[in-house]
Every structure is written in C-alpha cells, then in structure tokens.
Amino acid sequence: MKVTFANSAHITTKERLVLGHGRWRNISLKVRYGLCLHPQIGPILIDTGYGPSVTKGAERSLGLKLYSSLFFPDLIPEQAPDAILSRLGYRCDNVKLVIVSHFHADHIATLNQFPKAQFLARRTVFDALARRTYLQNLRHGLFPELLPETFSDRLIDMEQSPLEPLPHGLGEGWDLLGDGSLHAIDLPGHADGHFGLYFSTLDTPLLYGVDCQWLMRAITENRAPAFPANLIANDPQALSHSMVKLANFQAKGGDILLCHDPIDSPCDWPNFAQDSDDMGGEA
Ligand SMILES: [Zn+2]
C-alpha cells in the first residue's frame, strides 16, 4: 500500500491560538486529507479536507456561512481529491471507501463527490449527530448539511472491524481493511469519537494523528494551547492522554503527521510513503 497526504486549503490563524505561549503573529495552517492506494481496494480517502460546499453557495445555512467567513479557508483546487485522483488516473466513482475520522467540516466537505463510496466511521457518533438539532450540532462545530443524504445507508461502523493489540504503546486498534495495513486508533479529546490512523506496514510506521493538535510543536514541546482552544476540545483531559500517546509513538521511532501542521512532511503530495516490501513497485 502507498499513502500520500494532500493539502485541500490554507487557513490563517494566530500562533497563540494553536500553541501554548505562542506569539500573536499570523501563521498559515494546512488542511490535509489522506489518499491510500490499496492493491485490492484501489483508492481510499482518509477524510476529504475543505471544499467549495463550505465556502460557496447561497443554499448554505447561516451557521455554515458564518463558519466559512470565520475560518476563511483558501482552497487549493489542484490538490482537491478529484484533481489528485485524476492525476493518478482515477475518477471519483473509483473511490469505494472513505474513512471519516470525525465529522468537522474540514474533514467531510467533499464526501458528496463520491457516489460509489462507503464510509468507514463511528456509527455511535453519526447517530448522535443525526439525533441533535441544528443548533446543538452548531455548538459542536458540526454541519450535517455537508453529508450525503445517503450517508447512514452507506456507513460501515468502524467498531465492527477486528480489535487487535498494537505495539509502541498504541494500545488496541481496529484493523479497518482486514489485512493489518491500516488500524484506527482511539485519540479522544478533540471531537466526539475522534480517531487516528496507524499504518504499520510502511517503511517507517506512521500514525496520522488527525486533529489531536494543530501543530506538532504543541505535542513535542508539550505546549497545548490554552484558552480558547481548551473550550473547543470536547474533553481536555482525554486530549492530553492522546497527546502523550502520539509523543510516545514518535519517541519509539514512528512518524507522526497532523492534519493542520504547516511543516511539509515526507508523505505530503506528490510524495508517497509505501510498504517496506513494496519499494519502487506499483500500488
Ligand atoms: Zn476537527
């Protein structure tokens, strides 16, 4: 298997908001999503990043328009999922599987573009979202209007995958593809049911920590941002445990990647990380 991470958009924020004792200067963050090329399943997306459904369209709810004007994502169309898939010789309807780590807008904005895909996500989290009112979801930063209408029918509960013990202090993880190449790891704290993805067979094992923090420095220097980030986190105590899990994994030689960290990674598009027994081969 091979995996790359593309950058769907830039967002600008103050460093102090995403790094404890950071400066009040503007910094630009990425909004990554992952694309795996699996030898049997084909292209698999890990979230989708931002897309025009967040930034454009009179039909958007008032809350989504406000959200978009607050974060003001600067989309990068040439790194949108449809553009990257096309560069690799695929169409959107070749995607049979999208893994949804959590339901924030910057992770689900282009799910509507994949009519043939099933969605590996947490059923309990989707059910809770489906039960809440618009305003209750808004308080959690959730916009169900971004989900395909058929989402529930196409949802595969990731917790139905086999749960296996994992090395490097990761605890247990769900073997999502049934071949040991990709495990979902609980990384609670940021959002309801938030999980990361562990790639054990890559040349260097990789843990995609998604939104556990915005910056790697917040983890490696133990500088989680305070107010107002600690208000946004859905469980600040669980979040610090998740940060320790990532730091320990890195200390044991694994690679960590976050969705928003601005520092380029060796597996950022157009580079791929790949299985150690697959060097130079096709996906
Ligand atoms: Zn998030």
Side-chain angles (χ1 to χ4, degrees):
M1 188 164 74
K2 307 203 298 192
V3 61
T4 187
F5 289 83
N7 183 21
S8 66
H10 290 292
I11 47 175
T12 302
T13 188
K14 299 288 181 195
E15 184 185 77
R16 182 69 170 237
L17 297 179
V18 292
L19 183 68
H21 308 291
R23 287 179 278 178
W24 286 107
R25 58 165 187 164
N26 280 340
I27 58 167
S28 175
L29 300 179
K30 297 190 189 214
V31 184
R32 290 184 176 87
Y33 67 91
L35 171 66
C36 308
L37 298 178
H38 188 275
Q40 278 82 43
I41 304 169
I44 302 169
L45 288 175
I46 298 170
D47 300 328
T48 71
Y50 273 127
S53 60
V54 169
T55 58
K56 284 185 197 146
E59 71 286 358
R60 291 171 301 158
S61 67
L62 180 61
L64 186 55
K65 287 176 184 166
L66 286 171
Y67 170 93
S68 177
S69 58
L70 194 65
F71 287 94
F72 206 66
D74 183 13
L75 300 185
I76 305 171
E78 62 273 21
Q79 290 201 50
D82 56 348
I84 300 282
L85 285 163
S86 164
R87 288 278 299 274
L88 293 166
Y90 295 104
R91 299 181 315 272
C92 283
D93 60 8
N94 294 133
V95 176
K96 300 294 185 321
L97 196 60
V98 182
I99 297 166
V100 182
S101 67
H102 64 299
F103 289 90
H104 284 159
D106 52 335
H107 296 261
I108 62 166
T110 69
L111 285 182
N112 261 318
Q113 297 179 7
F114 305 97
K116 301 277 176 64
Q118 290 190 291
F119 305 115
L120 254 174
R122 270 200 149 103
R123 167 65 72 180
T124 49
V125 177
F126 172 75
D127 286 348
L129 175 150
R131 275 196 306 270
R132 283 194 289 261
T133 65
Y134 177 79
L135 284 177
Q136 286 169 333
N137 276 320
L138 189 62
R139 275 189 45 227
H140 292 267
L142 300 170
F143 300 95
E145 68 199 81
L146 296 171
L147 293 172
E149 280 179 14
T150 53
F151 188 89
S152 180
D153 300 333
R154 294 156 66 191
L155 169 60
I156 305 170
D157 185 8
M158 70 84 157
E159 289 189 20
Q160 298 302 315
S161 306
L163 193 58
E164 297 174 346
L166 297 173
H168 313 308
L170 290 175
E172 294 181 309
W174 290 271
D175 180 12
L176 295 182
L177 307 180
D179 62 2
S181 62
L182 182 56
H183 288 84
I185 309 282
D186 255 334
L187 290 175
H190 167 72
D192 196 11
H194 176 268
F195 62 86
L197 281 317
Y198 168 55
F199 300 82
S200 63
T201 58
L202 296 180
D203 194 29
T204 304
L206 171 70
L207 179 53
Y208 181 46
V210 195
D211 282 359
C212 192
Q213 276 298 330
W214 288 270
L215 304 183
M216 273 307 295
R217 286 180 65 196
I219 294 171
T220 54
E221 300 171 17
N222 196 19
R223 291 172 67 185
F227 181 86
N230 54 359
L231 293 183
I232 295 167
N234 103 323
D235 183 343
Q237 199 174 358
L239 189 64
S240 12
H241 287 131
S242 296
M243 285 171 61
V244 169
K245 200 182 260 192
L246 263 60
N248 287 345
F249 180 78
Q250 191 183 46
K252 288 178 175 155
D255 278 343
I256 301 280
L257 184 64
L258 299 171
C259 175
H260 298 298
D261 198 294
I263 296 173
D264 290 335
S265 147
C267 49
D268 275 338
W269 170 260
N271 303 312
F272 282 83
Q274 56 191 325
D275 287 352
S276 43
D277 59 359
D278 190 33
M279 300 298 279
E282 289 304 302

